[in-house]
Amino acid sequence: MAMFSDFLFGGDWNPEQWPQATWEHDVELLEQAHVNEATINVFSWALLEPREGEYDFSMLDSIVELLNKHDFKIVMATGTAAIPAWMARRYPQVMRTGVDGTHQIFGGRHNFCPSSPKFRSAARALASRVAQRYTGEKNLVCWHVNNEYGNGGGYCYCDTCAQEFRHWLERKYGSVEALNRAWCMNFWSHTIHDWSDVVPPVTYGDGIGTDKCVISGLQVDYRRFQNEQMLACYTIERDAIREFDTETPITTNLMGTFKDLDYFSWGREMDVVSWDNYPGMDTQPSFTAMCHDLMRGVGGGKPFMLMEQTPNQQNWFPYCKVKRPGEVGKLSWQAVAHGADTVQFFQLKQSIGGCERFHGAVIGHDNSDRSRTYREVRALGSDLQDRAKQLMGSRVKARVAVMFDWENYWSLEGCVGPTQGLHYPDEVHRFYRPFWKRNVAVDMIESTADVDVLKQYDIVVAPTLIMVKPGVADNLEEYVRSGGRLVTGYMSGIHNEFDLVIPGGYPGPLRELCGLWVEEIDAIAPDATIDVNLGGEEAGDHADGTIVASIIELEGAQTLATYGGDDFYAGTAAATVHEVGDGKAYFIGTALDDAGMSALIDPIIDESGVPTIDAPENVEVMRRYADDGTVFTIVTNTGDEATEWTDEQGVLHQLNPFAVLVLTNE
């Protein structure tokens, strides 16, 4: 069932940056572009509460009145994304302190300490006032709490956070003795004897930059703590809204593979997941697809909101390349194909000041309907109006699951060795991409997913599962024994939930399941590769391994690929399969190139019987399923060259650059 009555096409509008005399013209231009929604009040705290405890809603009332006049749907933000100057001046302890000890003064955004009682009480009060005033507005369709939590500000390391962290640890571990064991604190005389001895992982203490730490358990636990503190800020505002409005959905915009927050924990607290999609110039379409699937997974498989994207340039890259003709339509429809029930932009009108003045917008600095960007948005709005509404509420159905686990993210990238070359999202994408190339639908799930969830899938993929939390290994073994196919590999099965190495040899609790022992992990230099013989007889059955190479001793597994070259482990297993019960566990020992990953994973797909859809390179074919039995097939040419695709009924379709087809089973 669809969450909204209409397909929302719009985005962030900041009329407070413009004279009120211009607003009507803006809305008329937006109407002509088929825009039907505006997200407002995201950064208005200083206007809503110019002095502590004194509220002024006159401007916001005028904005709401104008949007109602034009029958725009409204996504109402709480306005708490950046604090006003008076708060920083009167309560400097509210401002965030960086990992290097720098205490922020007024300015920027995401600038508040998430543990600050003053910030929490003031934010709750503002959210409550906004909810009380606008609950019941006829065009209000969604509440938007704060904005992009954590983006740009990083974690806070102030004295308040340090004290709250100590309390958090005391509740978790119970005693300093238990904490010392969990963190292996006899290392470098780090043994603590009092909770007050615990210091956050600052760079002038145990922190090594922002990602690594002398005591890795300290770093992982501090990330867990900060995630919970940020999430508490969201739920405080959400609950304040719920005191007045028990029905309208509440969200906050997430950011794909953003590292600092465990979005699965956030998804459980949100009515609908919304996220901001900003691919770079060199971002592969398969990576963007993976991010959409991840956000859908965070939301439990329900349709999500594409809360932000840009209709043209993104302002924060070193080189702000414009989108090519048709590209914004392609990106929008790709989101819909993977489960989006809205298409929204940041922003609806381009700023003339501030650091985002060169960020693209529906209405540009020309303030007219003549720009290419405006015309493309207008065409997209018409297209979505005609074709997208029928897809609302339909879902993606997948028989393959790929695990994405934020604590694994933190653990893998927190390692001091064996290499600095591992970036967790890229390694997950390395395993995801072969499925995307075959147009196989994928669900992104947590590593702690229950075994009954795992059994819904023919294939479960666990890339770089370095941290194996309690119960995970048992669930994976039961899944495989019951007939499932597990694909995992390098850097898996090394740490426990405390980020300590699991004794007994790699891959730890997965060793028996995979039927092998990784005796050593070789690091491959950034400009080097290792030859991998894929074992076939066809010409060129070789691939390049990169970043790391697992030196494997077989303990029941069979070899699928071997290392080549002239290193001492040439000829040993580089990829294996182990039959366990009615299923199989596959282990890929090195970070293979694109062709190598496909060469190993394609046979697993074929053997499993998971349906695939043939299509040319760069053509993505996704399906959404409605409750009434309608199946929507969305075909997207993700490339900038024309191509053609023959559907399963033998019909040939011509696809222009960035073209989109929407077919049904009717």
Side-chain angles (χ1 to χ4, degrees):
M1 181 179 178
M3 179 162 287
F4 306 116
S5 60
D6 294 298
F7 191 94
L8 302 184
F9 182 60
D12 283 41
W13 188 42
N14 303 292
E16 65 273 8
Q17 298 177 14
W18 296 88
Q20 189 165 348
T22 66
W23 296 356
E24 185 87 37
H25 175 66
D26 292 347
V27 173
E28 289 172 355
L29 279 178
L30 295 172
E31 275 186 313
Q32 293 168 26
H34 306 282
V35 169
N36 63 9
E37 177 272 336
T39 302
I40 58 175
N41 196 45
V42 176
F43 291 104
S44 299
W45 196 337
L47 296 175
L48 296 179
E49 191 179 5
R51 288 164 294 280
E52 184 176 9
E54 297 181 19
Y55 297 93
D56 181 359
F57 288 96
S58 56
M59 180 177 289
L60 188 53
D61 285 346
S62 297
I63 295 168
V64 170
E65 181 180 0
L66 177 61
L67 293 174
N68 282 336
K69 172 185 171 183
H70 289 267
D71 202 28
F72 272 50
K73 304 300 182 195
I74 296 172
V75 174
M76 178 66 76
T78 56
T80 56
I83 68 171
W86 61 260
M87 184 179 291
R89 180 178 69 251
R90 296 190 64 181
Y91 306 102
Q93 70 273 18
V94 165
M95 303 304 292
R96 197 169 300 192
T97 298
V99 68
D100 62 353
T102 301
H103 186 71
Q104 187 168 339
I105 60 174
F106 175 68
R109 63 171 185 166
H110 309 293
N111 47 12
F112 57 87
C113 165
S115 301
S116 165
K118 183 62 186 178
F119 169 77
R120 291 185 176 193
S121 63
R124 189 191 190 286
L126 181 59
S128 180
R129 291 274 185 149
V130 173
Q132 183 178 19
R133 192 171 192 88
Y134 298 108
T135 292
E137 280 289 339
K138 64 173 184 174
N139 285 329
L140 176 67
V141 294
C142 189
W143 294 102
H144 180 355
V145 173
N146 204 280
N147 183 71
E148 292 185 339
Y149 278 96
N151 185 23
Y155 293 150
C156 183
Y157 298 84
C158 71
D159 291 342
T160 300
C161 282
Q163 188 59 37
E164 289 300 315
F165 181 49
R166 296 178 189 116
H167 295 326
W168 186 89
L169 292 171
E170 189 169 5
R171 291 191 298 271
K172 179 175 181 176
Y173 292 103
S175 67
V176 292
E177 291 77 16
L179 178 64
N180 283 324
R181 289 192 299 272
W183 286 359
C184 192
M185 292 289 274
N186 289 346
F187 180 80
W188 282 6
S189 193
H190 271 57
T191 308
I192 66 168
H193 300 283
D194 190 89
W195 292 109
S196 61
D197 295 335
V198 175
V199 177
V202 292
T203 54
Y204 49 98
D206 271 333
I208 306 172
T210 58
D211 294 322
K212 305 181 191 301
C213 188
V214 170
I215 302 297
S216 62
L218 165 61
Q219 179 72 280
V220 169
D221 266 341
Y222 200 74
R223 285 187 172 277
R224 289 166 173 152
F225 161 74
Q226 283 283 312
N227 176 70
E228 290 186 17
Q229 296 300 96
M230 287 279 192
L231 182 54
C233 291
Y234 166 77
T235 58
I236 286 168
E237 291 192 44
R238 178 204 64 190
D239 293 347
I241 294 169
R242 280 285 173 254
E243 291 181 7
F244 301 95
D245 185 340
T246 60
E247 298 180 355
T248 306
I250 302 175
T251 191
T252 187
N253 46 341
L254 310 182
M255 295 171 287
T257 60
F258 179 67
K259 183 175 183 177
D260 286 352
L261 302 177
D262 178 357
Y263 281 155
F264 277 106
S265 66
W266 285 68
R268 287 187 282 271
E269 302 292 340
M270 298 166 65
D271 297 318
V272 57
V273 162
S274 64
W275 87 284
D276 302 347
N277 180 36
Y278 291 109
M281 292 180 291
D282 58 351
T283 301
Q284 296 183 65
S286 52
F287 190 90
T288 301
M290 183 187 79
C291 291
H292 287 310
D293 289 343
L294 177 59
M295 295 293 91
R296 190 183 72 247
V298 164
K302 297 182 296 185
F304 57 89
M305 300 174 70
L306 180 61
M307 182 67 78
E308 287 186 26
Q309 61 174 342
T310 175
N312 203 334
Q313 290 168 298
Q314 293 162 204
N315 72 293
W316 57 84
F317 290 134
Y319 308 98
C320 304
K321 187 173 178 61
V322 300
K323 284 184 166 57
R324 302 192 61 164
E327 190 173 0
V328 69
K330 178 265 292 191
L331 288 168
S332 300
W333 273 106
Q334 186 180 33
V336 173
H338 286 265
D341 270 5
T342 75
V343 167
Q344 297 158 273
F345 297 107
F346 180 85
Q347 49 194 334
L348 295 186
K349 185 173 182 179
Q350 200 165 18
S351 302
I352 60 170
C355 61
E356 292 176 328
R357 62 188 178 276
F358 289 114
H359 191 92
V362 177
I363 303 172
H365 291 144
D366 62 294
N367 203 35
S368 78
D369 61 359
R370 294 178 55 191
S371 72
R372 179 178 67 89
T373 299
Y374 179 88
R375 287 183 280 112
E376 288 213 17
V377 170
R378 181 171 59 196
L380 173 61
S382 177
D383 187 25
L384 292 168
Q385 192 176 65
D386 291 341
R387 298 197 289 173
K389 185 173 181 178
Q390 60 181 334
L391 278 75
M392 292 177 62
S394 61
R395 297 203 180 198
V396 175
K397 294 182 179 179
R399 289 169 53 182
V400 173
V402 174
M403 290 181 172
F404 192 104
D405 189 287
W406 264 269
E407 293 188 355
N408 270 267
Y409 196 163
W410 303 337
S411 180
L412 182 74
E413 296 194 8
C415 288
V416 183
T419 179
Q420 295 183 1
L422 288 163
H423 180 47
Y424 181 72
D426 290 344
E427 299 314 308
V428 176
H429 176 245
R430 192 186 303 275
F431 282 77
Y432 173 96
R433 182 167 161 78
F435 297 96
W436 182 85
K437 290 167 63 178
R438 299 284 301 275
N439 294 299
V440 173
V442 171
D443 283 344
M444 306 293 286
I445 63 172
E446 296 178 270
S447 74
T448 52
D450 186 84
V451 68
D452 291 333
V453 172
L454 301 181
K455 288 179 179 179
Q456 298 173 20
Y457 301 101
D458 297 285
I459 303 172
V460 170
V461 187
T464 53
L465 189 68
I466 191 170
M467 179 182 286
V468 182
K469 288 174 270 192
V472 169
D474 291 340
N475 287 345
L476 291 175
E477 181 173 350
E478 183 178 343
Y479 164 74
V480 173
R481 287 191 179 279
S482 64
R485 293 166 178 81
L486 171 68
V487 181
T488 188
Y490 53 95
M491 298 303 293
S492 293
I494 296 176
H495 296 160
N496 64 13
E497 71 272 26
F498 305 113
D499 218 39
L500 297 181
V501 171
I502 300 170
Y506 316 141
L510 304 179
R511 179 172 174 177
E512 184 176 346
L513 176 60
C514 293
L516 54 82
W517 172 35
V518 177
E519 185 178 359
E520 297 178 84
I521 302 171
D522 192 15
I524 302 171
D527 58 349
T529 61
I530 185 169
D531 180 61
V532 175
N533 179 358
L534 299 173
E537 297 180 358
E538 299 293 328
D541 276 343
H542 287 258
D544 288 333
T546 61
I547 308 177
V548 292
S550 308
I551 303 175
I552 294 170
E553 182 177 316
L554 300 178
E555 296 179 339
Q558 297 177 317
T559 299
L560 294 177
T562 58
Y563 293 113
D566 56 4
D567 216 318
F568 71 92
Y569 51 92
T572 65
T576 64
V577 59
H578 188 217
E579 296 189 14
V580 179
D582 295 326
K584 297 179 180 179
Y586 296 85
F587 191 93
I588 299 175
T590 184
L592 289 169
D593 60 19
D594 192 36
M597 291 299 292
S598 290
L600 288 177
I601 289 179
D602 279 349
I604 304 172
I605 296 173
D606 294 335
E607 183 185 78
S608 72
V610 169
T612 62
I613 303 173
D614 292 332
E617 186 177 2
N618 292 326
V619 172
E620 177 189 276
V621 185
M622 283 291 294
R623 288 196 166 119
R624 289 180 61 167
Y625 298 81
D627 291 341
D628 65 2
T630 304
V631 180
F632 301 97
T633 301
I634 304 99
V635 185
T636 307
N637 181 3
T638 66
D640 58 4
E641 295 183 2
T643 186
E644 56 187 27
W645 172 68
T646 302
D647 66 25
E648 291 152 306
Q649 285 71 45
V651 179
L652 180 66
H653 301 270
Q654 300 294 331
L655 298 172
N656 291 327
F658 304 130
V660 178
L661 299 176
V662 180
L663 310 173
T664 68
N665 61 341
E666 296 175 350

